[in-house]
């Protein structure tokens, strides 16, 4: 491989430091990233589009700026990837769907611009479940990304490619989007850090909408300190999004300790359905946090069992409306149908959307229909409130909640593809926090062995609203006391 | 009771059956708000701009784009609510109204469903009747689909996202005249507030009508919605036609012909309506709260501030012009027909101190010139002179510097050149002549050979002197002071001849 040889070993913080202190250059780093992608991505399918020339050109100009002594950003020369539902002017943003094949947005999302302004280098757009609807990447109209720990398995979803790209060390960080767990669940399944901030911490302008009241831009990183860094760059008020909170960018906490933190352990998350090996690893991780000075408190989140049905009413209702704009009139491939307007719209959507997207549009249309609205949508909003109340009550006596991120380790591609409900249940531990709008991180906390493969397990740390920095501090302290984050997959011939 | 002594009865008496049918009419009016930018993005809007040039990612519904509420639109809407005496809600929200159409880029319209920003209020007609409003809500306009280009439909999204207020009345009107009067009054108010141009031709005001009829003393019957009404006259004609159609249908006795709940399109050329869609085809709009815009509270101080910015409204001004200035109801109506005209009138009054003459000069002189095709200015906003100049003209006539008729010439000159009245009088030598010597010589010339007039005056018929005024004025080219001329003529006849 060409370029900077240590590239796969370093996180974003170290890479930026190495470039700015001139131990390497942005060009060498970008070259290393592109070489690694070229060598390994044919087996992983993380990337839909690799922006080789653009990334090289940008790295060169960053190197020139550095040579001239111009001020450098906090991510100077650091390569990154974006989920294909994020808008960058002129770069194909297809949302994993045929209906947006070839669509190039006329604008750049502000959260992407903030990364670019800090010197980060976009190297490509990643595969995803169509319109972020899925938990395995298999609903992509293009390709299902693979889990680097076992190529037969999924890296989770829906931010599959962005997750695989960081797990395979193609890039030190990437952005995904988390609506019901689409960043935390993959992070757990692929052994990296994934963080969904408090709803409203990051602007959604330029993130293609799925479930507007749930969607949050959510980064993947290899280290918790990188997560703090990336969050401090992309979070904060934005005038383009009315639901974005009027807050300053996230400021990482200085503390290096979890001493005195009260950790709530919800019994509903350790019930049947949780894989025994995953349970063992998560309990060990909680034990580690106690060793580090935290205390645990058993808590109850009694409405947890209603989270999945509630989520599938709220998210599909919003999606059915959000996806109405894909009518073939202004962008995307158009099918003429019978030549009438309604015929054209129907034919375009029939050909453009995959089965899972159609299923959810139908579901969402149904729950909003007159006569059903009160029984489904209105009731779901009430249950959503109850779920939020569960957490509010718990946070009266604890500082954070700890639990598994996913009930199982990575499952095989094809294993749940024909059973949507089984697929929906893989999000059972991430959906409640999404409904409550709370910050939650998944950090690597151990491994299980399945069919001779080591598969990562994630610990989920949930905080009260706006306690994003506290959540990330706990993740950082846990990470520095353990070695899980340093472990890397053993893809044949590609190990670190 | 004889029809000549009773108040005019409402309703329409069928010639066929003698049954008195009572129409029930309600109006839904959409008005574009005159804001700098659209409701949810920072695009400008201008009628007639080149298609799809006034657009951005938000109003063309690019994936990932989000709406942000324009506070200026909200302020204007709240001001309208104040002008219509409506209550502004403390808390309001937006909802999505979902349907597919090529001019609706998002596949939904951001509107207000169950929590409009304002309820109640109304407009009082000249008869004293109050047309009550159910609600007013804020929503975004759709784009424009152009269907008459061969087999193509073209879509122009310039209009997409322009702020609209939709006001819905109770079914309080019973004649097409009342509907017409309501629309006129509403338009006047919105224009006064500066909220909308209310120009139906440019689509900045659109009106849908609900009509039903029932025999006097019975309950209300099925209402029919009328659309595609492109002028106030269309509204009036369509209502009249629809009332007639419904009465005829009921009187046919054939139940299959009875009016059904439906939407009918009006065709102005044939002056008829035809079915557009029946109740069964009605959309299920699947309204739900817009998740991209959080519910918001309208701060009472903000609402109060908007109210305090309201100008005096046309009805109040008309009343005041009659009581304070002693104007006729007709003149007061003419002068308040637009806010700009009324403001111009009041400034003129302030500067001239002469309300009656100001009213005369504006209602007759200024408006007559504005409607003259030879004059460039077409409205009071386009006048080439200011109220200050008109006040000066009124003063010149009042202090007899110029004669009233000369004043008209001067006004014409002001329209043509924009010069001040004094300047025009000076340049054209129009100043009224009061010099006794000059006047006397014109008078003596006029008396030559007018023995009959002289005899009449001497016999005590002083009014006969009027016959001599013309020649004197002609000789002086209108500049002679008529009062002085009369005095001199009488003096000469009575003392010298
Ligand atoms: Zn716009």
């Amino acid at each position: 491989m060409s370029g900077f040889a240590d590239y796969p070993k370093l996180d974003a913080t170290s890479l930026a430091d190495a470039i700015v202190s001139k131990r390497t250059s942005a060009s060498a780093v970008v070259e290393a990233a592109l070489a690694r992608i070229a060598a390994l991505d044919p087996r992983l399918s993380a990337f839909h589009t690799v922006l080789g020339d653009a990334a090289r050109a940008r790295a060169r100009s960053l190197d020139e700026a550095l040579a001239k002594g111009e001020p450098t950003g906090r991510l100077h020369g650091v390569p990154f990837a974006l989920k294909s539902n994020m808008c960058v002017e002129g770069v194909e943003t297809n949302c994993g769907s045929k209906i947006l094949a070839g669509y190039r947005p006329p604008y750049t999302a502000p959260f992407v611009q903030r990364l670019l302004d800090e010197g980060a280098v976009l190297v490509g757009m990643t595969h995803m479940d169509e319109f972020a609807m899925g938990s395995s990447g298999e609903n992509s109209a293009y390709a299902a990304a693979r889990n680097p720990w076992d190529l037969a398995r999924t890296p989770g979803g829906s931010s599959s490619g962005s997750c695989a790209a960081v797990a395979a060390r193609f890039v030190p960080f990437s952005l995904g989007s988390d609506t019901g767990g689409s960043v935390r669940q993959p992070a757990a399944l692929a052994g990296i850090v994934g963080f969904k901030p408090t709803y409203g911490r990051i602007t959604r302008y330029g993130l293609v909408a799925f479930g507007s009241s749930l969607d949050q831009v959510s980064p993947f990183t290899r280290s918790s300190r990188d997560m703090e860094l990336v969050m401090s760059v992309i979070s904060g008020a934005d005038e383009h999004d009315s639901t974005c909170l009027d807050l300053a960018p996230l400021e990482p906490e200085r503390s290096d300790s979890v001493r005195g933190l009260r950790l709530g352990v919800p019994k509903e998350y350790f019930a049947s359905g949780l894989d025994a090996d995953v349970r063992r690893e998560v309990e060990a991780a909680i034990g580690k946090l106690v060793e580090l000075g935290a205390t645990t408190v058993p808590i109850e989140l009694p409405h947890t069992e209603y989270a999945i049905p509630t989520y599938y009413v709220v998210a599909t209702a919003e999606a059915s409306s959000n996806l109405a704009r894909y009518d073939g009139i202004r962008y995307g491939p158009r099918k003429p149908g019978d030549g009438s307007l309604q015929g054209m719209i129907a034919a375009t959507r029939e050909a453009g959307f995959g089965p899972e997207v159609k299923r959810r549009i139908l579901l969402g249309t149904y729950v909003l229909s007159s006569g059903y609205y009160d029984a489904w949508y209105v009731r779901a909003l009430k249950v959503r409130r109850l779920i939020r109340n569960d957490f509010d009550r718990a946070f009266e006596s604890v500082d954070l909640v700890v639990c598994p991120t996913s009930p199982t380790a990575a499952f095989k591609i094809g294993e749940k593809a024909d059973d949507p409900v089984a697929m929906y249940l893989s999000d059972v531990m991430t959906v409640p926090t999404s409904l409550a709008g709370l910050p939650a991180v998944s950090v690597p906390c151990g491994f299980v062995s399945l069919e001779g493969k080591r598969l990562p397990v994630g610990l989920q740390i949930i905080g009260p609203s706006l306690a994003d920095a506290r959540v990330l501090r706990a993740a950082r302290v846990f990470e520095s006391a353990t070695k899980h984050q340093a472990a890397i997959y053993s893809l044949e011939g590609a190990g670190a | 009771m004889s029809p000549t002594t009773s108040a005019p009865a409402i309703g329409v008496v069928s010639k066929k059956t003698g049954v008195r049918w009572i129409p029930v009419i309600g109006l839904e009016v959409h008005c574009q708000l005159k804001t700098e930018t659209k409701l949810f993005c920072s695009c400008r809007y201008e009628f007639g701009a080149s298609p799809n040039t006034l657009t951005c990612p938000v109003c063309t519904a690019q994936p990932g784009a989000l709406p942000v509420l324009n506070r200026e639109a909200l302020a204007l809407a709240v001001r309208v609510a104040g002008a219509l005496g409506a209550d502004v809600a403390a808390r309001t929200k937006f909802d999505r109204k979902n349907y597919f159409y090529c001019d609706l880029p998002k596949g939904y319209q951001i509107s207000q469903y169950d929590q409009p920003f304002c309820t109640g209020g109304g407009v009082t007609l000249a008869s004293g009747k109050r047309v009550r409003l159910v609600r007013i809500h804020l929503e975004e306009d759709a784009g424009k689909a152009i269907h008459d280009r061969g087999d193509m439909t073209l879509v122009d999204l310039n209009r997409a996202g322009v702020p609209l207020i939709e006001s819905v009345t109770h079914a309080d009107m019973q004649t097409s005249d009342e509907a017409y009067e309501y629309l006129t009054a509403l338009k006047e108010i919105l224009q006064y507030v500066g909220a909308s141009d209310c120009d139906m031709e440019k689509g900045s005001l659109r009106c849908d009508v609900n009509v039903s009829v029932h025999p006097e003393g019975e309950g209300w019957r099925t209402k029919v919605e009328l659309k595609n009404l492109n002028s106030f006259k269309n509204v009036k004609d369509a209502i009249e036609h629809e009332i007639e159609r419904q009465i005829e249908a009921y009187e046919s006795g054939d139940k299959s012909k009875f009016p059904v709940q439906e939407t009918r399109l009006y065709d102005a050329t044939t002056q008829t309506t035809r079915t557009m869609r029946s109740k069964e085809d009605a959309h299920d709009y699947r309204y739900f709260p817009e998740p991209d815009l959080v519910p918001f509270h309208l701060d009472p101080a903000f609402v109060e501030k908007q109210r305090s910015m309201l100008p005096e409204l046309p009805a109040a001004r008309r009343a005041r012009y009659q009581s304070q200035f002693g104007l006729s109801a007709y003149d007061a109506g003419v002068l308040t027909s637009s806010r700009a005209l009324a403001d111009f009138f009041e400034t003129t009054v302030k500067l001239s101190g002469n309300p009656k003459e100001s009213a005369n000069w504006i209602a007759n002189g200024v408006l007559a010139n504005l409607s003259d095709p030879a004059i460039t200015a077409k409205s009071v906003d386009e006048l080439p002179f200011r109220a200050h100049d008109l006040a000066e003209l009124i003063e010149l006539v009042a202090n007899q510097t110029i004669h009233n008729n000369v004043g008209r010439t001067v006004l014409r000159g002001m329209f043509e050149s924009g010069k001040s009245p004094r300047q025009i009088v000076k340049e054209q030598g129009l100043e009224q002549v009061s010099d006794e010597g000059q006047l006397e010589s014109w008078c003596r010339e006029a008396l030559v050979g007018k023995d009959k007039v002289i005899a009449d005056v001497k016999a005590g018929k002083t009014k006969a002197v009027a016959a001599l005024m013309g020649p004197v004025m002609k000789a002086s080219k209108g500049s002679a002071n008529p009062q002085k001329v009369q005095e001199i003529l009488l003096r000469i006849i009575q003392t010298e001849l």
Side-chain angles (χ1 to χ4, degrees), chain A residues 90-409:
Chain A
V91 175
E92 180 166 343
T93 297
N94 57 41
C95 289
S97 181
K98 280 189 277 183
I99 210 157
L100 277 175
Y103 173 69
R104 292 169 195 277
Y107 71 105
T108 297
F111 55 85
V112 176
Q113 192 58 51
R114 289 176 189 180
L115 291 170
L116 300 175
D117 291 347
E118 289 291 342
V121 180
L122 178 64
V123 297
M125 307 297 284
T126 62
H127 285 299
M128 59 183 281
D129 281 302
E130 185 176 3
F131 284 102
M133 296 176 182
S135 307
S136 68
E138 292 165 275
N139 294 331
S140 167
Y142 301 100
R146 307 270 156 169
N147 191 323
W149 295 87
D150 179 355
L151 293 176
R153 292 177 188 269
T154 166
S158 65
S159 310
S160 317
S162 280
C163 173
V166 172
R169 308 202 168 182
F170 294 163
V171 284
F173 81 95
S174 66
L175 297 186
S177 64
D178 191 315
T179 305
S182 284
V183 160
R184 288 163 288 156
Q185 181 253 21
L189 269 45
I192 57 175
V193 184
F195 177 59
K196 185 200 86 73
T198 300
Y199 182 80
R201 280 313 286 256
I202 303 175
T203 177
R204 292 185 295 117
Y205 193 81
L207 169 67
V208 180
F210 158 21
S212 311
S213 72
L214 298 152
D215 295 342
Q216 271 296 282
V217 171
S218 303
F220 290 106
T221 60
R222 279 179 42 207
S223 66
S224 296
R225 64 174 187 173
D226 276 4
M227 187 59 78
E228 292 177 316
L229 171 61
V230 171
M231 277 302 297
S232 70
V233 171
I234 64 175
S235 62
D238 176 42
E239 58 177 12
H240 296 95
D241 175 4
S242 317
T243 65
C244 185
L245 300 167
D246 189 16
L247 294 173
L250 178 131
E251 217 174 291
E253 292 188 353
R254 293 208 177 137
S255 166
D256 285 324
S257 163
V258 291
R259 190 160 299 281
L261 281 183
R262 296 162 302 167
L263 307 177
V265 182
K267 71 167 198 217
E268 292 79 3
Y269 286 68
F270 292 85
S272 64
L274 176 60
D275 177 87
D277 292 338
V278 170
R279 179 183 187 130
R280 184 194 66 230
E281 293 302 307
V282 170
E283 285 176 346
I286 295 171
K288 185 75 195 174
L289 284 164
V290 170
E291 233 174 77
L292 293 167
T295 56
T296 59
V297 182
I299 58 163
E300 288 182 14
L301 299 168
H303 294 93
T304 301
E305 62 173 310
Y306 305 112
I308 291 282
T310 301
Y311 172 81
Y312 277 91
V313 173
V314 174
T316 59
E318 292 176 0
S320 71
S321 175
N322 284 331
L323 271 59
R325 68 186 60 191
Y326 306 110
D327 54 14
I329 291 170
R330 294 165 315 287
Y331 40 73
R334 179 191 298 173
K335 298 271 182 247
D338 65 7
S340 71
L341 174 67
Q342 295 298 322
M344 180 194 90
I345 294 175
T348 297
R349 291 166 69 82
E350 168 61 29
F353 289 136
E356 182 60 26
V357 172
K358 286 177 188 160
R359 178 158 36 235
R360 296 201 196 187
I361 290 174
L362 285 173
L363 210 57
T365 304
Y366 174 77
V367 301
L368 289 177
S369 299
S370 77
Y372 301 95
Y373 179 79
D374 288 335
W376 292 101
Y377 187 73
V378 172
R379 191 181 291 182
L381 293 188
K382 286 180 186 158
V383 179
R384 184 177 187 178
R385 185 71 238 173
L386 295 175
I387 289 167
R388 169 78 192 241
N389 291 348
D390 279 359
F391 281 105
D392 287 348
R393 206 167 305 120
F395 285 120
E396 285 170 11
S397 53
V398 301
D399 301 305
L400 295 167
V401 168
V402 288
C403 61
T405 308
S406 165
T408 64

Side-chain angles (χ1 to χ4, degrees), chain B residues 262-415:
Chain B
E262 61 174 353
T263 301
R264 298 178 71 86
L265 282 184
Y266 180 68
D267 183 337
T269 45
T270 60
Q271 298 200 351
T272 56
T273 60
R274 63 185 153 83
T275 299
M276 179 180 135
R277 60 169 178 254
S278 69
K279 191 191 173 195
E280 288 70 42
D281 305 330
H283 290 293
D284 178 355
Y285 290 117
R286 291 175 283 118
Y287 280 102
F288 75 106
E290 165 58 286
D292 291 332
L293 295 163
V294 284
F296 54 95
H297 292 268
L298 285 163
D299 180 11
F302 171 77
V303 174
E304 208 30 63
K305 186 179 166 217
Q306 297 312 319
R307 275 190 213 278
S308 71
M309 288 165 77
L310 282 177
E312 187 184 17
L313 295 173
R317 280 200 192 190
R318 270 194 288 276
R320 183 164 61 80
Y321 289 3
Q322 291 173 63
S323 63
Q324 185 184 340
F325 300 146
L327 302 188
S328 69
Y330 179 80
D331 279 349
V334 168
L335 291 170
T336 53
S337 62
S338 85
R339 183 177 167 188
L341 186 64
D343 287 348
F344 183 76
F345 165 66
E346 293 198 27
T347 313
T348 310
V349 170
K350 205 174 285 173
L351 295 170
S352 70
N354 194 338
K356 284 218 164 143
E357 284 306 309
S358 299
N360 276 336
W361 279 98
I362 293 173
N364 302 312
V366 171
L367 291 181
N369 276 290
L370 285 175
S371 59
D372 184 339
I375 293 293
T376 322
K378 289 288 163 260
S379 76
V380 74
D381 308 303
E382 297 169 10
L383 289 178
F385 54 86
R386 294 168 306 147
H388 172 83
D389 299 308
L390 187 65
E392 186 179 289
L393 176 64
I394 291 166
E395 176 63 20
L396 290 174
V397 174
N399 69 16
Q400 304 191 348
T401 306
I402 55 172
H403 183 252
N404 196 56
N405 290 339
V406 175
R408 288 195 200 166
T409 314
V410 173
L411 181 62
R412 183 68 172 195
M414 288 158 68
F415 269 97

Side-chain angles (χ1 to χ4, degrees), chain B residues 38 41-43 54-60 160:
Chain B
K38 296 185 183 180
C41 64
S42 50
C43 293
L54 306 176
T55 59
C56 73
V58 176
C59 57
T60 57

